[in-house]
Every structure is written in structure tokens, then in C-alpha cells.
Amino acid sequence: MRSAHGSETDGTALVDTPVTHGWIPAGDRLLAVDVHEPAAPARGATVVFAAPPGRERVTTTRTMLHTARALAADGWRVVRFDWSGTGQSPSAEDITAAQRWPEDLRAVREWAGQGTPVHGLAFSLAGAYLAADDDAGWARRVVLAPVTGKQWLRHQSALRRMSGAGLPPRVKEGTELLDLHLSAEGAAAVKAVPVPEADPARGIEILAETETGALPLDVHPRVATVPPELASAVVAALADGAPARQEGLEPADQQPAQEVTLDVAGTPVRLRRATVGAERRPAIVTEPVDRAPDAPGLGLVSPGSDTMEAAGGLWLTTALFASAQGAVCVLAERTDTGELVRSDLVRNPNPYDRRTVVECRELVEHVASLTDGPLTASGICLGAWGLMAAAHELPADVTRRLTLHVVNNVAWQKAPWRYWRQGITSGPLAPRVPGEEPTAPAPAQDDAAASEEPTAESPVHALRRVLVHRAGTVARTVVRGTRTKAHEASPRVNSLAASLGIIDIPQPELRRLGRVPGLTVKAVFSTADAEFCHVTPGALDSHTTMIVIEPLDHSVFSTAARRAMADFTVQDATGQSIDAA
């Protein structure tokens, strides 16, 4: 299945090159690959482009796409991939065997080569793996933001600790990171990966941050801005000594598989690439090899700015287990996330808009077209918001067999951009708001200047700082008081307040969904989100149930939360638990 997306070379010139999404074998595993075909004239050579695993895979998505498209526009065939046990590389295991990642890299290189030169490009930990590979098949290797495996593990573990006290405790086995869980053997293997070093004899080059700009490795995906110098620096580095572009070169004939079969707890499950909606958005469909015409249908929508399948594989793993219980499941990219990021935007825009509503509606309609059975649509945070808004536009014959899982959605305001700003103005993963420029670095000082007394803060700046602090304190107090009073008010007053965008309460919007013919709604909350929204578990009315899942965290980062979310979704959609698979 091919989809063409814009490519850029200098930030303005766009070249359409086809992209193929699929899977390739790697021993007894399957790896997801995305292949960018070269713009003519082609070089007759391939770049294997490796993203770092974990949350860095999500924050670098836009940067990866911009860079891959720039290389394709320069005549390269570019192959990106997800490490085994992560992203769209399917796995029915909770724990990732990271000790097999070096085998993944070699498998992709061998598949991509087929007798043509293969160059390597990688960021962060992926760069350490690329430089450490002893395979002589690499023509040239370029590494950015080099880091040792030990440094990467320590840093990712720190990010998990910094993500809030609301996260469930770490599980005892292996090493748990944000959105990723490594086996003990896998973590030890990662820890042993050495720092990449430049080695001209082996064709290894380290691109400095001064040449590329800082990579968006330690930020929230919403503020992961593409470094403006990066694409041109990478194109120039790989073009040095590379095959010249030639007219008339035949395109590579090997393509990744569009359909594969995976054994899930003894049940053969088929995965196939598809497209969804008028814009033919890339999608994955999972289903049992033998399924009934009235099999349960399950649509899954990712949160926020995440790709169709984020780092830990939550929704794809959920789909695999649901299909092992007889369901047909669909995941699809949303506009300007994952494979559909725009080449003329270097940062993520606000996804709380009309396009998300339309694409959630298209996803549910696509699932409904695949089966005559009962339907479930599950979305986290932004995904839940989009599903709720889309429910009002679905045909009655769909909503009568549809159950919505509204998971951890606290953006109940009519003006959702307020929630968007609120969610990214604080915290270790959110250094700045989209549209705001980063703080300028302080000018360098010589020794004489450094020895002087620091310059006193001007009266104007001091007054401004005090006023902003006090205004923020007063605003928080007012909002808390308003929210408390609202929960004690009548449903009519609550509905008016929610319509005006004054308060964050779920009940008015959930009651509005009651007007959708036959629709069943299950609002699922983590303990912290339930407290924030004053949720009491139980039936809100005849068609709406409020559910609190104890080990859940808001972003479903933790291993315990992912297990609980997958088990709840499969159980509710199919009537059978994951353990029964």
C-alpha cells in the first residue's frame, strides 16, 4: 500500500515521493518498515535510517520524516524501521527483548541492500548501535546525538521518575521506562552498548550539534521542533562520496509485505496494511485468519501528537489480543501525526480541531464496514475527545451497535485550546508552548565580566514577575472554587458552564451523548483523573458508565497501566480476557 507525502530539501521546495509501509522478516520476528522511494534521478543506493527506541521514537517522528523526505528528494531510497517489540513491529509480549536489536539492524540492512550500496543514519541510542555494528556491508554511517547505552538507560529511567508521582510503581521484572519495558537481559545488553566514535576507516562520521541543531529528544511531542539545519547537514554528509544521481536507474523491486500472519497465544492473527478515509490515511487491520461475518469490531485512536502506534505498542498489542479472541481491529494515522506530518510545518499544531473529529468518524465507519457485529471505539485523551465529537455525526445504524471507551479525557471545555496550552506549559517534558520562541541563551562572558557582581533585576521586570505570579495564584484559586461549586450545581448549570468553557467536568458532555441513538459510553479514568473530575464509579444514566481503573496513569506510560488498559479493552470488546487467549 503506497501513500505519497511531501518531501523537502530547503524548507520550501516540496517533492512528492511514494512511501510504502509494511513488514519484513527478522529471524522469528517481524519488523515494521517504511520505505521512501527516491526522486529521479536516483542514486541507486539506500539509507537505513534508525530512530531511537522508547519515547524518543515519538518525539523525533517529525524530525525523522522531514529528514527522510529530504534524502528521498536527493535521490536516496530511505528505509526506516521500528525495533522489534516496539511501535508497529508486532509483538504479543509485554517485555521487549532488546538484546535482539543488533540483529534487527543487520536484518534491515541486508533486506535493504540487495546488491546496492547501503548507508546508515541514526540518532541517539540507535546511533550507538549503528556505530557498534561490525557488519562490513555499510558503505558509510552518520551518527547524531551520540550516547552510550548506559547513559540512555539512566536518562530514560530518570524521565519516568520525573513524569509524576501518579504513575503506578515499577514492575519488578526487567527495566521499566516510559512507554517501554525491557527484559533484564535486554536492559543489560543495552547498558553494554559503547559510545559511538568517529572512525574514517569504517566510514563512521559524528555530526556535531553545531552543524545540525539540537535534536528534540527530551521534550513533549507537541513541542518537538525540527532543527532547521538538520536536513541540509545530513544530505550534505551522506552525499560526500556517494553514488552520483543517474537518469534511467531501475527502482528496487523488493518491497515489504503488506500482509503477514502472527501466532498470538496459539491463534493465527492476520495483519494487513490498509488505508482509511477520503485522504487514504495509512492504517493497520488485525483479524483472526478465520473470523465470523458478525465478529466484534474495534477501532483504536492514539492520544495527543503520538503516531498511530506509540513507542510501547499499546494499541497494536491490544489489537492482536482482541483479534486472537475473534475481533477485527483497525488503527489509523491522523493528519499531521506519524506518517502524515506536513513538510511545511516544523512543529506540531493543535490537534483539537475539526480534522480530528472527521478522522475519528471515518475510523469508526471503516470498522463498521468490515463486520456486522458489535462495535467498540477506544480513544485515549485527545482520541477520546475526537470520538465523542464524532459520535454525533455517525449514522444511527452504526451508533446502535457502538460502545465508546472514553479514556482519561479531561478536556471537556468547548474551547479545547485552553486545555492544549495548559497541558504543555509545565513539567519536565514541556519546556515551551508552540508559537513561543525558546529562551535566548545568555551571552558568553569573559573572566573579568564573570567576576563582577550580577546585574540587578530592573524594577519593571521585578514588578512584572510579581504580578504574573500573583495573578496565576488567584486564577488557580478561582478555578478550583468554580469547579467545586459546579460539581454541586444542577446538571443544567453544569451544562451551561461547560458550554461556555468555564470548567472541566465530564458529566454535561456525557449527558449530551445520550441523545445519540443507541450509543453506549464507558468513561474510563485513572485514579488521579477521576479525582480531578469528581468522578464516582457507577452508572451515570442508562447508557453511560463511569469506570475508574486503579493502576491506570493519564498517558498510559507505565507497564501496569498498559496491561490494565489492554485487558479492559479486550474484555469489553470481545467478552474474553487476554489471559483466555
Side-chain angles (χ1 to χ4, degrees), residues 25 61 65 129 242 256 267 277 325 361 365 404 432 475 547 550 579:
T61 294
L65 264 295
Y129 277 109
T267 300
Q325 302 291 10
R361 185 195 72 221
E365 291 175 335
L404 289 188
R432 63 180 186 274
I547 299 169
E550 181 64 33
D579 293 335

Side-chain angles (χ1 to χ4, degrees), residues 430-454:
R432 63 180 186 274
V433 179
E436 295 180 353
E437 293 301 318
T439 304
Q445 294 181 320
D446 56 27
D447 292 340
S451 64
E452 296 177 357
E453 292 294 325

Side-chain angles (χ1 to χ4, degrees), residues 6 32 88 176 180 254 288 323 334 360 426 429 454 462 479 481 547 563:
Q88 295 174 24
E176 183 185 343
L180 188 63
Q254 82 275 24
S323 291
R334 297 194 320 274
C360 286
S426 63
L429 301 180
V479 168
I547 299 169
R563 289 175 179 172

Side-chain angles (χ1 to χ4, degrees), residues 317-341:
T317 301
T318 301
L320 291 174
F321 278 112
S323 291
Q325 302 291 10
V328 54
C329 309
V330 183
L331 307 83
E333 299 283 12
R334 297 194 320 274
T335 297
D336 214 48
T337 64
E339 297 302 309
L340 299 182
V341 299

Side-chain angles (χ1 to χ4, degrees), residues 395-433:
D397 63 331
V398 172
T399 58
R400 286 193 180 98
R401 52 189 179 116
L402 176 63
T403 297
L404 289 188
H405 291 169
V406 178
V407 184
N408 281 351
N409 181 27
V410 294
W412 306 94
Q413 298 169 331
K414 275 286 187 179
W417 60 267
R418 299 180 186 178
Y419 174 74
W420 168 260
R421 287 184 63 89
Q422 172 191 338
I424 58 177
T425 53
S426 63
L429 301 180
R432 63 180 186 274
V433 179

Side-chain angles (χ1 to χ4, degrees), residues 427-479:
L429 301 180
R432 63 180 186 274
V433 179
E436 295 180 353
E437 293 301 318
T439 304
Q445 294 181 320
D446 56 27
D447 292 340
S451 64
E452 296 177 357
E453 292 294 325
T455 303
E457 184 179 25
S458 71
V460 173
H461 283 85
L463 177 61
R464 180 182 178 187
R465 177 172 52 79
V466 172
L467 289 176
V468 168
H469 174 74
R470 294 198 173 183
T473 302
V474 171
R476 285 192 292 273
T477 302
V478 170
V479 168

Side-chain angles (χ1 to χ4, degrees), residues 6-217:
S7 300
E8 64 175 16
T9 54
D10 60 3
T12 57
L14 301 180
V15 179
D16 286 332
T17 58
V19 184
T20 306
H21 314 287
W23 295 275
I24 66 171
D28 59 351
R29 307 177 310 288
L30 293 167
L31 300 180
V33 297
D34 308 289
V35 182
H36 301 251
E37 298 297 344
R43 293 184 180 274
T46 299
V47 174
V48 170
F49 194 175
R55 288 303 294 175
E56 290 182 348
R57 163 68 174 84
V58 179
T59 60
T60 58
T61 294
R62 185 171 293 273
T63 296
M64 294 280 294
L65 264 295
H66 277 235
T67 307
R69 292 168 183 171
L71 287 169
D74 194 49
W76 296 94
R77 187 174 191 248
V78 182
V79 178
R80 298 181 292 112
F81 69 97
D82 284 340
W83 303 92
S84 58
T86 72
Q88 295 174 24
S89 293
S91 173
E93 301 294 331
D94 280 334
I95 302 180
T96 298
Q99 67 271 22
R100 307 190 74 173
W101 286 350
E103 301 170 21
D104 295 347
L105 186 61
R106 182 165 299 189
V108 176
R109 193 209 63 75
E110 291 176 351
W111 180 86
Q114 302 295 314
T116 62
V118 179
H119 300 242
L121 173 65
F123 298 163
S124 185
L125 178 65
Y129 277 109
L130 179 64
D133 189 9
D134 291 330
D135 189 346
W138 299 101
R140 185 179 179 85
R141 288 174 265 188
V142 176
V143 175
L144 291 83
V147 63
T148 68
K150 185 176 182 180
Q151 290 170 329
W152 184 84
L153 272 180
R154 184 187 300 123
H155 186 69
Q156 297 301 311
S157 295
L159 286 180
R160 192 212 186 271
R161 291 194 301 273
M162 294 166 63
S163 293
L167 285 185
R170 294 176 188 263
V171 293
K172 294 181 180 180
E173 66 271 24
T175 298
E176 183 185 343
L177 310 173
L178 276 184
D179 217 3
L180 188 63
H181 187 184
L182 307 181
S183 67
E185 185 180 355
V190 171
K191 193 174 182 179
V193 179
V195 63
E197 295 183 356
D199 186 346
R202 299 171 61 210
I204 300 175
E205 178 182 0
I206 309 293
L207 279 186
E209 189 174 290
T210 53
E211 302 173 79
T212 64
L215 291 178
L217 296 172

